Amino acid sequence: MKKFLFALLSSLIIFSCYGVLQMEASTANMHKEQVVVHNGDSLWKIAGNWTKPGEDVREVIYRIEQENNLSAKDCLQPGQKIVVPVRTENNMVASK
């Protein structure tokens, strides 16, 4: 039983460290775009405009919230400027 718990705990630690390393690596290839909020915009809509193929829009929303000190409960206001951390491809900045 002790060996099983040790193996389980070791696996969890390794998996957690791998996740942290992946997050650190993913933020290295980012640039920041400033976006002006328009009437009817939401974090979901804005993030969707900057989500790369194969990327989860929820990850982009999370990055926007972190960069702008926002929470899911915060309302965006028309005219508000927010920064969108955007993933770059092949070290080239691709803007929309």
Side-chain angles (χ1 to χ4, degrees), residues 45-86:
K45 182 178 178 182
I46 293 169
N49 291 334
W50 293 97
T51 302
K52 300 291 183 185
E55 186 176 29
D56 190 338
V57 70
R58 293 171 293 186
E59 293 175 15
V60 180
I61 291 171
Y62 178 77
R63 290 196 307 260
I64 294 171
E65 289 174 340
Q66 295 299 304
E67 183 69 30
N68 296 278
N69 297 318
L70 298 172
S71 72
K73 296 179 183 181
D74 290 334
C75 293
L76 299 177
Q77 301 296 319
Q80 180 180 359
K81 294 178 183 177
I82 61 172
V83 175
V84 180
V86 180

Side-chain angles (χ1 to χ4, degrees), residues 78-94:
Q80 180 180 359
K81 294 178 183 177
I82 61 172
V83 175
V84 180
V86 180
R87 197 176 295 282
T88 58
E89 296 177 20
N90 299 329
N91 296 327
M92 295 181 68
V93 175

